Amino acid sequence: MYAEERQQAMARLVSDRGRLSVAVLASEYDVTTETIRRDLSTLERLGLVRRVHGGAVPAHALPVIEPALGDRDRAHAGAKDRIAEAALALLPRPGATVLLDAGTTTGRLAARMTPGHRLKVWTHAVPLAARLIGLPGVELHLLPGAVRETTQAAVGPDTVESLSRLRADVVFLGTNGISLLHGLSTPDVEEAATKRALVGAARQVVVLADASKIGEESTVRFATLAQVDVLVTDDALSSEDRTDLEHAGVEVVVA
């Protein structure tokens, strides 16, 4: 079956069944999950389907709403715990400067930090700041900006401008999606601008993302894979996706 034929059949199948996962579609057409994700991206650009987390729904389905922080925190909780544990080993030397992005997995990393780490930490995330405020040894800085209700993090021109003056040793970054073609992405324009500034302010970029994010694409790209030094993910990552990421120059740590 040619790609165009498969995509047309896929669009009809999604329309008939209402919602289908990437894994089911890959099995249905005997191709890789990465191929299915590319097909879905093509179909979405044509207005034939709407991509959602892990699959697709018909184009006429209700618009996708960005999940609230509590909902995201409950999703893949075990994988996020393991990723945060593994990320502890990537914290820099005492006295170094760390940027912590908003997110449920970065929040787990913050919760595991101890007084012995003795770091200068900058964050725009209110929940992360609340976890670190009383931790001896951590010099905490809260970035300015307007706080988004969805992510409980400061975004906007003030946040971006403040980050432009910083130079950190490492940033621990979250993302809604990460793919070979689209890089790292998120649904919100202001959130993307802040993440872009976080990437630009750090010498090393470490992305914390569970395997369900791999191959996903949100509306706004904020970084390319070439800008990522390390990806910490979980053991649900496929061998194919790992090989592709490593070929793109990303060091992959599986928790």
Side-chain angles (χ1 to χ4, degrees):
M1 182 180 289
Y2 293 109
E4 293 81 1
E5 294 174 319
R6 183 180 62 248
Q7 290 162 8
Q8 290 173 7
M10 193 182 303
R12 288 194 297 270
L13 195 62
V14 171
S15 179
D16 290 342
R17 298 191 187 177
R19 176 173 180 144
L20 285 172
S21 70
V22 169
V24 167
L25 289 167
S27 176
E28 181 79 24
Y29 296 103
D30 194 26
V31 294
T32 66
T33 55
E34 185 62 31
T35 296
I36 292 296
R37 292 183 181 113
R38 286 196 294 267
D39 285 345
L40 292 178
S41 295
T42 299
L43 291 171
E44 185 173 50
R45 286 194 295 270
L46 294 171
L48 298 176
V49 304
R50 183 189 298 278
R51 292 199 64 180
V52 296
H53 189 69
V57 297
H60 60 266
L62 291 175
V64 178
I65 299 172
E66 190 176 358
L69 191 63
D71 294 331
R72 294 203 308 274
D73 190 50
R74 288 185 289 272
H76 308 285
K80 292 174 181 179
D81 287 337
R82 296 194 300 275
I83 291 168
E85 286 287 346
L88 284 172
L90 299 175
L91 287 170
R93 69 192 184 285
T97 299
V98 172
L99 292 172
L100 287 180
D101 185 19
T104 57
T105 312
T106 52
R108 283 169 163 77
L109 173 60
R112 286 165 169 76
M113 291 173 64
T114 68
H117 286 117
R118 292 175 38 230
L119 297 167
K120 299 172 185 174
V121 178
W122 294 74
T123 186
H124 65 127
V126 175
L128 272 65
R131 290 179 176 180
L132 294 172
I133 187 65
L135 189 62
V138 170
E139 180 184 309
L140 179 64
H141 300 262
L142 184 61
L143 291 161
V147 177
R148 287 188 73 215
E149 182 179 356
T150 304
T151 59
Q152 298 178 24
V155 297
D158 290 340
T159 316
V160 171
E161 199 275 333
S162 293
L163 284 165
S164 71
R165 299 196 300 269
L166 297 180
R167 191 61 171 162
D169 294 282
V170 60
V171 58
F172 291 91
L173 197 68
T175 184
N176 293 77
I178 176 169
S179 74
L180 295 178
L181 296 178
H182 196 47
L184 280 67
S185 55
T186 192
D188 184 77
V189 172
E190 287 195 319
E191 198 83 39
T194 300
K195 288 177 180 289
R196 196 173 297 117
L198 284 164
V199 170
R203 295 183 178 90
Q204 184 185 38
V205 176
V206 178
V207 177
L208 308 183
D210 66 80
S212 71
K213 307 284 184 66
I214 311 303
E216 295 297 310
E217 296 179 349
S218 287
T219 309
V220 189
R221 178 172 57 205
F222 60 86
T224 65
L225 288 182
Q227 294 174 283
V228 176
D229 297 295
V230 183
L231 167 67
V232 187
T233 188
D234 63 271
D235 57 8
L237 178 72
S238 71
S239 58
E240 179 190 10
D241 284 338
R242 178 169 188 167
T243 298
D244 288 342
L245 289 164
E246 289 176 338
H247 284 168
V250 178
E251 178 186 345
V252 178
V253 175
V254 176

